[in-house]
Amino acid sequence: MKNSVHFVIQGKGGIGKSWVSVLLAQYLKKKAGNTVNFDTDQENTTFAHYKALSAIHISVMTPSRIIDAKKFDGMIEKIMEADCPAVIDNGANTFSPLLAYMLENSVIDVLQDGGKKVFFHIIIGGGSELKDTKEGFVSFATQFDVPIVLWLNEFFGSFVDASGTHLAETEAYKANEDKVTGVVLLPARNQQTFGDDIRRMNTMRLTFDEVIASSSFGLMEKQRLKTVGREVFEQLDKIEF
């Protein structure tokens, strides 16, 4: 786990990449003692606003709003220098540039040759988001030989497509199942209780530990958020990082 690198990626915007990055960074920090985190989103730097996680914002957009892919060089060097897990939250606006950069510069080889174990964390949304996000998973699985952790975000609906076929039974999934090293379910929850608590925690940019120590959350709110964190962390415990 100490030398692991975790790219949180999905071409679809608004699918929960920053939330997954926040969850993952907290888990790895608890397990490894520290993490180095990066936020490459050029519009919504959500991950970088969690002070407790100290994510470094990688500014790759020039004043003329052109992506300078060479700015990713510094991030890769910082990852190589780190003696702890790294988490990279990739925004939708840098999805294509980062993908092209990684392919053109053989980034996975560079990291692996340097002793790093690389993981892709790919979010698949249910309901109306299923088709596009499943295609995003397939795209990465076919272009990179890297273990994938799938995060199934049930907030958007179920993982059964229009034909009545569950994601796990589709040909696209089965063809790339060997790349999947773990699956984490983010279940649909009662939006009046759990949903509101999660929104408040995220709006305030707080970690689970900060919520527990905060006077802004009541007893049952803290209990529900502890449940959310515990269930996610227990699923991550089953994955060999």
Side-chain angles (χ1 to χ4, degrees):
M1 181 180 291
K2 181 179 178 182
N3 288 316
S4 57
V5 180
H6 305 263
F7 289 91
V8 181
I9 48 179
Q10 175 57 262
K12 184 79 171 178
I15 201 67
K17 288 188 293 294
S18 293
W19 175 228
V20 167
S21 298
V22 168
L23 291 170
L24 183 60
Q26 290 180 80
Y27 172 79
L28 293 170
K29 185 175 182 179
K30 188 176 291 288
K31 292 293 182 179
N34 197 17
T35 57
V36 58
N37 305 311
F38 302 90
D39 189 343
T40 70
D41 197 313
Q42 304 303 293
E43 303 292 344
N44 302 301
T45 56
T46 302
F47 192 31
H49 281 86
Y50 283 79
K51 292 183 179 180
L53 300 177
S54 303
I56 302 166
H57 182 239
I58 303 299
S59 181
V60 298
M61 187 175 287
T62 68
S64 57
R65 302 189 66 78
I66 296 172
I67 297 292
D68 180 0
K70 197 170 184 179
K71 295 288 184 66
F72 288 124
D73 288 356
M75 180 180 74
I76 300 302
E77 291 179 10
K78 286 184 174 68
I79 291 171
M80 290 298 299
E81 293 167 359
D83 61 352
C84 58
V87 178
I88 302 93
D89 178 15
N90 179 232
N93 45 39
T94 53
F95 171 78
S96 294
L98 179 60
L99 173 61
Y101 171 84
M102 293 176 73
L103 288 168
E104 181 183 33
N105 295 278
S106 303
V107 168
I108 303 302
D109 290 341
V110 171
L111 292 172
Q112 291 176 339
D113 289 346
K116 302 294 184 178
K117 188 173 183 180
V118 181
F119 294 86
F120 284 163
H121 295 257
I122 301 177
I123 301 93
I124 294 184
S128 61
E129 305 295 338
L130 180 57
K131 183 178 183 296
D132 288 345
T133 54
K134 181 181 68 175
E135 289 176 357
F137 155 64
V138 172
S139 175
F140 269 91
T142 53
Q143 293 185 79
F144 294 93
D145 186 18
V146 172
I148 293 171
V149 178
L150 283 183
W151 293 71
L152 305 182
N153 192 347
E154 203 175 42
F155 175 82
F156 302 96
S158 76
F159 298 98
V160 176
D161 63 23
S163 70
T165 306
H166 190 277
L167 169 67
E169 299 303 319
T170 61
E171 290 303 318
Y173 180 83
K174 289 181 177 180
N176 298 284
E177 189 174 9
D178 61 316
K179 298 281 184 69
V180 178
T181 192
V183 177
V184 179
L185 174 66
L186 300 176
R189 297 186 183 274
N190 186 322
Q191 290 303 302
Q192 289 185 322
T193 52
F194 283 90
D196 183 67
D197 298 338
I198 292 171
R199 279 191 295 273
R200 284 187 60 217
M201 180 174 73
N202 288 341
T203 298
M204 297 172 71
R205 307 303 191 222
L206 298 178
T207 62
F208 291 114
D209 287 344
E210 289 175 312
V211 165
I212 300 307
S214 173
S215 60
S216 298
F217 290 80
L219 175 64
M220 295 311 300
E221 291 172 327
K222 291 180 180 181
Q223 179 59 33
R224 285 190 290 268
L225 290 170
K226 283 172 64 176
T227 298
V228 171
R230 184 185 70 249
E231 291 181 356
V232 170
F233 290 1
E234 285 176 351
Q235 292 180 79
L236 289 169
D237 277 338
K238 297 176 182 178
I239 302 172
E240 187 176 347
F241 292 123

Coordinates of all heavy atoms in Angstrom, one line a residue, residues 3-40:
N3 N 3.5 2.2 -1.5 CA 4.0 2.8 -2.8 C 2.9 2.7 -3.9 O 3.2 2.6 -5.0 CB 5.2 2.0 -3.3 CG 6.4 2.3 -2.5 OD1 6.7 3.5 -2.2 ND2 7.2 1.4 -2.1
S4 N 1.6 2.8 -3.4 CA 0.5 2.7 -4.4 C 0.1 4.1 -4.9 O 0.3 5.1 -4.2 CB -0.7 2.0 -3.8 OG -1.1 2.7 -2.6
V5 N -0.3 4.1 -6.2 CA -0.8 5.3 -6.8 C -2.2 5.1 -7.3 O -2.4 4.1 -8.0 CB 0.2 5.7 -8.0 CG1 -0.3 7.0 -8.7 CG2 1.6 5.9 -7.5
H6 N -3.1 6.0 -7.0 CA -4.5 5.8 -7.3 C -5.1 7.0 -8.1 O -5.2 8.1 -7.6 CB -5.3 5.7 -5.9 CG -4.7 4.7 -5.0 ND1 -5.3 3.4 -4.9 CD2 -3.7 4.7 -4.2 CE1 -4.6 2.7 -4.1 NE2 -3.6 3.4 -3.6
F7 N -5.4 6.7 -9.4 CA -6.0 7.6 -10.3 C -7.5 7.4 -10.2 O -8.0 6.4 -10.5 CB -5.5 7.5 -11.7 CG -4.1 7.9 -11.9 CD1 -3.1 6.9 -11.8 CD2 -3.8 9.2 -12.3 CE1 -1.8 7.3 -12.0 CE2 -2.5 9.5 -12.5 CZ -1.4 8.6 -12.4
V8 N -8.2 8.5 -9.8 CA -9.7 8.5 -9.8 C -10.2 9.1 -11.1 O -10.0 10.3 -11.3 CB -10.3 9.2 -8.6 CG1 -11.8 9.1 -8.5 CG2 -9.7 8.6 -7.3
I9 N -10.7 8.3 -12.0 CA -11.0 8.8 -13.3 C -12.4 8.4 -13.8 O -12.9 7.3 -13.4 CB -9.9 8.3 -14.3 CG1 -9.7 6.8 -14.1 CG2 -8.6 9.0 -14.1 CD1 -8.7 6.1 -15.0
Q10 N -12.9 9.2 -14.7 CA -14.1 8.9 -15.4 C -14.4 10.1 -16.3 O -14.4 11.2 -15.8 CB -15.3 8.6 -14.5 CG -16.7 8.4 -15.1 CD -16.7 7.3 -16.2 OE1 -16.6 7.6 -17.4 NE2 -16.8 6.1 -15.7
G11 N -14.6 9.9 -17.6 CA -14.8 11.0 -18.5 C -16.1 11.8 -18.2 O -16.2 13.0 -18.5
K12 N -17.1 11.2 -17.6 CA -18.4 11.8 -17.3 C -18.2 12.7 -16.1 O -17.7 12.4 -15.1 CB -19.4 10.7 -17.0 CG -20.8 11.2 -16.8 CD -21.5 11.6 -18.1 CE -23.0 11.9 -17.9 NZ -23.6 12.2 -19.1
G13 N -18.7 14.0 -16.3 CA -18.7 14.9 -15.1 C -19.8 14.7 -14.2 O -20.9 14.1 -14.5
G14 N -19.7 15.1 -12.9 CA -20.8 15.1 -12.0 C -21.1 13.7 -11.5 O -22.3 13.5 -11.1
I15 N -20.2 12.8 -11.6 CA -20.5 11.4 -11.3 C -20.0 10.9 -10.0 O -20.3 9.8 -9.5 CB -19.9 10.4 -12.4 CG1 -20.6 9.1 -12.5 CG2 -18.4 10.3 -12.3 CD1 -22.1 9.2 -12.9
G16 N -19.3 11.8 -9.3 CA -18.8 11.5 -7.9 C -17.3 11.3 -7.8 O -16.9 10.7 -6.8
K17 N -16.5 11.8 -8.7 CA -15.1 11.5 -8.7 C -14.4 12.1 -7.4 O -13.6 11.5 -6.7 CB -14.4 12.0 -9.9 CG -14.6 11.2 -11.2 CD -13.8 11.6 -12.3 CE -14.1 13.0 -12.8 NZ -15.5 13.1 -13.4
S18 N -14.8 13.4 -7.1 CA -14.2 14.0 -6.0 C -14.6 13.4 -4.6 O -13.8 13.2 -3.7 CB -14.6 15.5 -5.9 OG -14.0 16.2 -7.0
W19 N -15.9 12.9 -4.6 CA -16.3 12.2 -3.4 C -15.6 10.9 -3.2 O -15.1 10.6 -2.1 CB -17.8 12.0 -3.5 CG -18.5 11.1 -2.5 CD1 -19.4 10.1 -2.7 CD2 -18.5 11.3 -1.0 NE1 -19.8 9.6 -1.5 CE2 -19.3 10.3 -0.5 CE3 -17.8 12.1 -0.2 CZ2 -19.5 10.1 0.9 CZ3 -17.9 12.0 1.2 CH2 -18.8 11.0 1.7
V20 N -15.3 10.2 -4.3 CA -14.6 9.0 -4.2 C -13.1 9.3 -3.8 O -12.5 8.6 -3.0 CB -14.6 8.2 -5.5 CG1 -13.5 7.1 -5.6 CG2 -16.0 7.6 -5.8
S21 N -12.5 10.4 -4.3 CA -11.2 10.8 -4.0 C -11.1 11.1 -2.5 O -10.1 10.7 -1.8 CB -10.7 12.0 -4.8 OG -10.7 11.7 -6.2
V22 N -12.1 11.8 -2.0 CA -12.1 12.1 -0.5 C -12.2 10.9 0.3 O -11.5 10.7 1.3 CB -13.3 13.1 -0.2 CG1 -13.5 13.2 1.3 CG2 -13.0 14.5 -0.9
L23 N -13.1 10.0 0.0 CA -13.2 8.7 0.7 C -11.9 7.9 0.6 O -11.4 7.4 1.7 CB -14.4 7.9 0.1 CG -15.8 8.4 0.3 CD1 -16.7 7.6 -0.6 CD2 -16.2 8.4 1.8
L24 N -11.3 7.8 -0.5 CA -10.1 7.0 -0.7 C -9.0 7.6 0.0 O -8.2 6.8 0.7 CB -9.8 6.9 -2.2 CG -8.6 6.0 -2.6 CD1 -8.8 4.6 -2.2 CD2 -8.5 6.1 -4.1
A25 N -8.8 8.9 0.0 CA -7.7 9.5 0.7 C -7.8 9.3 2.2 O -6.8 9.1 2.8 CB -7.6 11.0 0.3
Q26 N -9.0 9.4 2.7 CA -9.2 9.2 4.1 C -8.8 7.8 4.5 O -8.2 7.5 5.6 CB -10.6 9.5 4.6 CG -11.0 11.0 4.5 CD -12.4 11.2 4.9 OE1 -12.7 11.2 6.1 NE2 -13.3 11.4 3.9
Y27 N -9.3 6.8 3.7 CA -9.0 5.4 4.0 C -7.5 5.1 4.0 O -6.9 4.5 4.9 CB -9.7 4.5 3.0 CG -9.3 3.1 3.1 CD1 -9.8 2.2 4.1 CD2 -8.4 2.5 2.2 CE1 -9.5 0.9 4.2 CE2 -8.0 1.2 2.3 CZ -8.6 0.4 3.3 OH -8.2 -0.9 3.4
L28 N -6.8 5.6 2.9 CA -5.4 5.3 2.8 C -4.6 6.0 3.9 O -3.6 5.5 4.3 CB -4.9 5.8 1.4 CG -5.5 4.9 0.2 CD1 -5.1 5.6 -1.1 CD2 -4.9 3.5 0.3
K29 N -5.0 7.2 4.2 CA -4.3 8.0 5.3 C -4.4 7.2 6.6 O -3.4 7.1 7.4 CB -4.9 9.4 5.4 CG -4.1 10.2 6.4 CD -4.7 11.6 6.4 CE -3.9 12.5 7.4 NZ -4.4 13.9 7.4
K30 N -5.6 6.6 6.9 CA -5.8 5.9 8.1 C -4.9 4.6 8.1 O -4.4 4.2 9.2 CB -7.3 5.5 8.2 CG -7.7 4.9 9.6 CD -9.2 4.7 9.6 CE -10.0 6.0 9.7 NZ -9.8 6.6 11.0
K31 N -4.8 4.0 7.0 CA -4.1 2.7 6.9 C -2.5 2.9 6.8 O -1.8 2.2 7.4 CB -4.5 1.9 5.7 CG -6.0 1.4 5.8 CD -6.1 0.4 6.9 CE -7.5 -0.2 7.0 NZ -7.6 -1.3 8.0
A32 N -2.1 3.9 6.0 CA -0.7 4.1 5.7 C -0.1 5.2 6.6 O 1.2 5.3 6.6 CB -0.5 4.4 4.2
G33 N -0.9 6.0 7.3 CA -0.3 7.1 8.1 C -0.3 8.4 7.4 O -0.3 9.5 8.0
N34 N -0.2 8.4 6.1 CA -0.1 9.7 5.3 C -0.4 9.4 3.9 O -0.3 8.2 3.4 CB 1.3 10.3 5.5 CG 1.3 11.8 5.1 OD1 0.2 12.4 5.0 ND2 2.5 12.3 4.8
T35 N -0.8 10.4 3.1 CA -1.0 10.3 1.7 C -0.5 11.6 1.1 O -0.4 12.7 1.7 CB -2.5 10.2 1.3 OG1 -3.2 11.3 1.9 CG2 -3.0 8.9 1.8
V36 N -0.2 11.6 -0.2 CA 0.0 12.8 -1.0 C -1.1 12.8 -2.1 O -1.3 11.9 -2.8 CB 1.4 12.8 -1.7 CG1 1.7 11.6 -2.6 CG2 1.7 14.1 -2.4
N37 N -1.8 14.0 -2.1 CA -3.0 14.0 -2.9 C -2.9 15.2 -3.9 O -2.4 16.2 -3.7 CB -4.2 14.2 -2.0 CG -4.3 13.2 -0.9 OD1 -4.3 12.0 -1.2 ND2 -4.5 13.6 0.3
F38 N -3.6 15.0 -5.1 CA -3.5 15.9 -6.2 C -4.9 16.1 -6.8 O -5.7 15.2 -6.9 CB -2.6 15.5 -7.3 CG -1.2 15.2 -6.8 CD1 -0.8 14.0 -6.4 CD2 -0.3 16.3 -6.8 CE1 0.5 13.7 -5.9 CE2 1.0 16.0 -6.4 CZ 1.4 14.8 -5.9
D39 N -5.3 17.4 -7.1 CA -6.5 17.7 -7.7 C -6.2 18.4 -9.0 O -5.6 19.5 -9.1 CB -7.3 18.7 -6.8 CG -8.7 19.0 -7.3 OD1 -9.0 18.7 -8.5 OD2 -9.5 19.5 -6.5
T40 N -6.6 17.7 -10.1 CA -6.3 18.2 -11.5 C -7.5 18.9 -12.1 O -7.4 19.3 -13.3 CB -5.8 17.1 -12.4 OG1 -6.9 16.2 -12.7 CG2 -4.7 16.3 -11.8

